[in-house]
Amino acid sequence: MAIQLYSLATPNGMKVSIALEEMGLDYEPHTINIRNNEQFHPDFVAINPNSKIPAIVDPNGPDGKPMNVFESGAILLYLAEKTGKFISQDPRLKWETIQWVFFQMAGVGPMAGQFGHFYVYAKDKCDHPYPLERYSTEVKRLMGVLEKRLEGREFLIDGGYSIADMATFPWIYCIEVFYKGAEVIGLENFPNVMAWKERCMERPATAKGMKVCKF
Ligand SMILES: N[C@@H](CCC(=O)N[C@@H](CS)C(=O)NCC(=O)O)C(=O)O
């Protein structure tokens, strides 16, 4: 009855393996190597019609039947509801958590991803400065929003570590470690964010989850 995880240790992939580890759920990881286009294999497309990692198959869905879930934010909410963990049962805090998960899904992830695309992957394909300027400016703005939110807070949501943290900090790690963008984004200007990212990564289950389905 183990949850089947289809992933790769990218920021979107890590979120889900971190949640599975933190929630103590039984799961089996399967690496989908997107560099080899494995996300387009019909067996994977049958699970995620959008051909992107991560995705899960829960053999024991809410109605007792198998359930496929794709979109990392939806998977985090699904797992949090399944276990009752890492999302507050207090309605206000629960909606704050959902709000910050959506902020990550609609803002931090897509903008940082586009920044990485133009700063790293498409470096030699675009000689116009506009895309990099646009996405780095937006990433800096979003970092400022996080910096303010984390002023005087240990984690994004009062009451402790939650799926909102799991969704978001891997992107800061990605900007720093995968994209090597510390200087261009000016990560040193966001001390609350950087300290929070370290706090998240110090958690043993989170650190373990970050290494699942490694490149
Ligand atoms: N919104 C999606 C984004 C997933 C996503 O972009 N995954 C990337 C890796 S981080 C991927 O599978 N890329 C392969 C491709 O675009 O072909 C989510 O959060 O699950």
Side-chain angles (χ1 to χ4, degrees):
M1 292 305 270
I3 292 175
Q4 303 299 304
L5 168 69
Y6 300 89
S7 195
L8 188 68
T10 68
N12 287 323
M14 274 179 199
K15 295 173 195 175
V16 175
S17 41
I18 289 169
L20 288 163
E21 286 292 337
E22 287 280 359
M23 292 173 188
L25 286 162
D26 191 16
Y27 72 100
E28 282 174 16
H30 307 274
T31 300
I32 302 293
N33 189 341
I34 61 176
R35 288 180 182 160
N36 293 345
N37 286 333
E38 289 173 10
Q39 70 274 32
F40 300 111
H41 191 283
D43 290 349
F44 183 71
V45 179
I47 298 167
N48 182 356
N50 194 33
S51 298
K52 288 184 192 291
I53 62 94
I56 60 165
V57 179
D58 181 0
N60 185 23
D63 52 3
K65 295 183 196 150
M67 169 106 193
N68 301 346
V69 193
F70 63 91
E71 281 295 323
S72 58
I75 301 172
L76 290 178
L77 287 164
Y78 178 88
L79 297 176
E81 186 178 279
K82 185 179 174 77
T83 58
K85 292 179 180 168
F86 298 103
I87 190 161
S88 177
Q89 300 308 309
D90 171 87
R92 175 173 291 273
L93 293 179
K94 176 180 155 185
W95 282 105
E96 277 192 23
T97 311
I98 293 170
Q99 174 179 277
W100 284 95
V101 168
F102 272 63
F103 168 79
Q104 184 284 310
M105 291 300 295
V108 176
M111 293 303 124
Q114 292 302 322
F115 160 73
H117 180 78
F118 287 102
Y119 188 59
V120 182
Y121 306 117
K123 210 176 182 166
D124 305 328
K125 293 198 175 100
C126 178
D127 55 10
H128 201 286
Y130 184 76
L132 187 57
E133 259 169 41
R134 172 171 166 77
Y135 293 116
S136 56
T137 302
E138 184 61 1
V139 169
K140 285 182 213 169
R141 191 190 67 77
L142 291 163
M143 290 288 292
V145 176
L146 285 171
E147 180 70 9
K148 207 166 165 197
R149 174 69 185 177
L150 288 161
E151 184 69 47
R153 279 195 174 84
E154 201 182 358
F155 294 110
L156 282 173
I157 310 300
D158 293 334
Y161 193 55
S162 74
I163 55 169
D165 303 294
M166 296 177 200
T168 314
F169 90 81
W171 276 103
I172 315 306
Y173 174 82
C174 173
I175 291 168
E176 188 179 27
V177 176
F178 294 165
Y179 301 157
K180 307 213 180 325
E183 213 170 306
V184 57
I185 298 298
L187 290 183
E188 79 279 5
N189 298 323
F190 306 100
N192 295 334
V193 176
M194 299 314 277
W196 157 78
K197 181 208 64 162
E198 289 303 317
R199 256 193 313 280
C200 295
M201 287 174 55
E202 276 163 12
R203 298 174 61 92
T206 288
K208 191 170 171 206
M210 291 177 78
K211 295 195 191 89
V212 174
C213 297
K214 270 207 112 164
F215 286 88

